[in-house]
Amino acid sequence: MKKITLFLAVFLIGGLAFGQTKFEISGKYKTPVNGMMKISYGDGKSDFIPIADGSFKYKGNVEAPYYITLFAELKNIPSELKAVGVSFFVDNKPTVIELDTLTKKTTRFDYIDTKVVFVQRSTFQDKLDLLKKELVGLSASKEEDKKKAEEIVLANVAKNKSEKERSILVNWNSRFLSKEKILELYNGFSDEIKASAYGIQIKNAALTKYTLKVGDMLPLFSQKDTKGKVLKSSDLKGKYVLIDFWASWCVPCREENPNLVNAFFKFKDKNFDILGVSLDTKKSNWLAAITADGLTWKHVSDLNGWENEVSRMFNIKSVPSSILIDKEGKIIALNLRGEELDKKLAEILL
């Protein structure tokens, strides 16, 4: 019997000297499954709790709001492995989730999927979810939408008293903000926030200047894949390809990965592919994130972090970033995420 894994891998978020907050997570599967739940913290810590008759509960301390990840191994679950995940922010308001394992069928095989429902979220996760709802339907690639979205994001940022919360909101929604506004917000943060992982990503987003534009032919490049074999960009010719710049330590990247997985499986039989270019420095972290997030497409990296040769070639200064090219290698879109990517692929492939 094979095990089914519910996970999202560890996110690397720089520690800040904020006060510790007690948090609590409890969950229950609709079926009486047994196993072990691993809870991972962004700074590399983790803990384990038993899942007995479908239930589990955990209490801990973090610098709230804090992004928590779960990795569960369930016993006696037959069928093929299907990668799904759950992640969320915690604070002093208990988080309660319900999970349901669902058998799904495809033309190739059966697999177990996991549906996650939040009965109760942390206060900050509630704020984040409400903001997401306000931004639904707005595209960062449309000037009118982006202007409206910027107003919504700035209003939400302004009403948050917590500086850390404001930095998270800015970081996660930087695509809706002008470079000037991002830099203005960054300069208003304390040195402590500026030095955090969120602060660094905000600064990078403010300084991003793409040298490529829609209509350009993508310059040829090559880099080693996960097995050390050189992969050439010319090998991609003949397919529509999304070149995704990401890293295992990048929170927005890991948040976006489920969207990429969905897009890949939806369009891979329509002449679509993805190439991941990682800005990692540790191969073990890179490979673990690929496995954990179910990223079954091709991946390359020279493990030089921000000095990655391909990312420097294209002047990538923040992640996630992406380039969508057509079958001839011409750039047809930049930095599509979530619903925007799905709509664009449907437009050109369906």
Side-chain angles (χ1 to χ4, degrees):
M1 305 290 265
K2 297 184 179 180
K3 295 180 180 179
I4 178 66
T5 304
L6 165 67
F7 62 75
L8 238 128
V10 179
F11 291 108
L12 180 60
I13 305 176
L16 303 175
F18 294 98
Q20 293 283 306
T21 298
K22 292 183 179 180
F23 74 92
E24 179 180 305
I25 298 172
S26 60
K28 185 174 180 62
Y29 284 85
K30 288 189 176 182
T31 51
V33 295
N34 296 297
M36 191 68 69
M37 179 72 76
K38 178 181 179 181
I39 296 183
S40 297
Y41 297 74
D43 52 8
K45 294 185 296 182
S46 61
D47 207 348
F48 295 87
I49 2 167
I51 303 171
D53 292 326
S55 297
F56 62 92
K57 190 172 185 178
Y58 183 80
K59 294 181 179 180
N61 294 282
V62 291
E63 296 156 351
Y66 206 92
Y67 211 55
I68 293 294
T69 67
L70 298 181
F71 181 104
E73 291 187 350
L74 306 179
K75 298 177 180 178
N76 303 321
I77 300 291
S79 85
E80 297 294 328
L81 178 68
K82 168 64 179 173
V84 278
V86 59
S87 59
F88 45 86
F89 281 95
V90 295
D91 53 28
N92 57 7
K93 179 182 176 182
T95 296
V96 182
I97 59 177
E98 289 183 349
L99 305 102
D100 192 12
T101 54
L102 308 169
T103 301
K104 293 190 175 182
K105 298 179 180 293
T106 69
T107 54
R108 295 176 58 197
F109 56 80
D110 297 347
Y111 63 85
I112 296 293
D113 201 352
T114 303
K115 181 181 179 182
V116 181
V117 176
F118 284 85
V119 178
Q120 181 171 285
R121 297 173 174 84
S122 67
T123 301
F124 181 68
Q125 189 66 54
D126 278 338
K127 293 178 182 178
L128 199 61
D129 291 346
L130 286 173
L131 175 54
K132 286 182 179 179
K133 287 182 180 179
E134 289 187 76
L135 295 172
V136 168
L138 297 177
S139 171
S141 61
K142 297 179 181 178
E143 195 59 38
E144 187 175 339
D145 280 2
K146 187 171 182 178
K147 184 177 180 181
K148 183 178 180 180
E150 182 177 72
E151 293 175 356
I152 293 172
V153 172
L154 293 177
N156 278 266
V157 170
K159 65 185 180 184
N160 273 273
K161 295 181 180 180
S162 165
E163 187 179 40
K164 185 179 180 183
E165 288 188 12
R166 295 198 300 273
S167 69
I168 295 171
L169 292 175
V170 172
N171 183 42
W172 281 40
N173 296 283
S174 62
R175 68 187 184 283
F176 292 118
L177 306 175
S178 66
K179 300 292 189 293
E180 294 75 18
K181 181 56 66 175
I182 296 173
L183 190 58
E184 178 186 327
L185 292 167
Y186 171 81
N187 289 330
F189 287 127
S190 65
D191 290 341
E192 195 170 41
I193 288 291
K194 288 179 180 178
S196 72
Y198 292 122
I200 292 170
Q201 290 184 52
I202 291 169
K203 183 179 181 181
N204 287 335
L207 299 178
T208 298
K209 295 179 180 178
Y210 284 101
T211 55
L212 302 174
K213 63 181 184 296
V214 173
D216 285 349
M217 293 300 294
L218 184 75
L220 297 177
F221 65 88
S222 63
Q223 202 156 87
K224 290 184 178 180
D225 63 14
T226 56
K227 295 182 180 180
K229 182 180 178 180
V230 174
L231 187 151
K232 300 177 181 179
S233 60
S234 56
D235 297 337
L236 306 174
K237 193 171 182 179
K239 286 189 174 184
Y240 287 87
V241 180
L242 183 77
I243 300 172
D244 176 47
F245 294 88
W246 73 296
S248 67
W249 44 259
C250 167
V251 173
C253 301
R254 304 299 291 277
E255 176 75 5
E256 179 65 15
N257 278 345
N259 294 326
L260 295 183
V261 171
N262 289 336
F264 180 73
F265 281 101
K266 185 175 181 179
F267 297 102
K268 68 185 183 70
D269 295 328
K270 305 291 184 182
N271 212 28
F272 171 69
D273 206 345
I274 299 177
L275 174 65
V277 180
S278 171
L279 275 64
D280 275 285
T281 56
K282 292 184 178 180
K283 188 172 184 177
S284 58
N285 292 347
W286 175 37
L287 297 182
I290 290 172
T291 300
D293 290 4
L295 313 181
T296 56
W297 46 84
K298 298 179 180 67
H299 294 269
V300 297
S301 181
D302 58 13
L303 300 175
N304 285 326
W306 286 108
E307 296 302 308
N308 181 287
E309 184 178 358
V310 178
S311 68
R312 290 188 65 188
M313 178 179 181
F314 298 144
N315 201 24
I316 302 298
K317 294 188 176 180
S318 68
V319 287
S321 292
S322 65
I323 304 170
L324 181 62
I325 60 175
D326 66 12
K327 294 183 291 184
E328 284 70 46
K330 181 183 293 185
I331 300 171
I332 54 178
L334 296 169
N335 296 324
L336 295 176
R337 292 165 68 176
E339 189 176 321
E340 294 178 44
L341 174 62
D342 194 74
K343 285 183 177 179
K344 184 65 176 178
L345 293 176
E347 174 189 318
I348 60 178
L349 299 175
L350 297 182

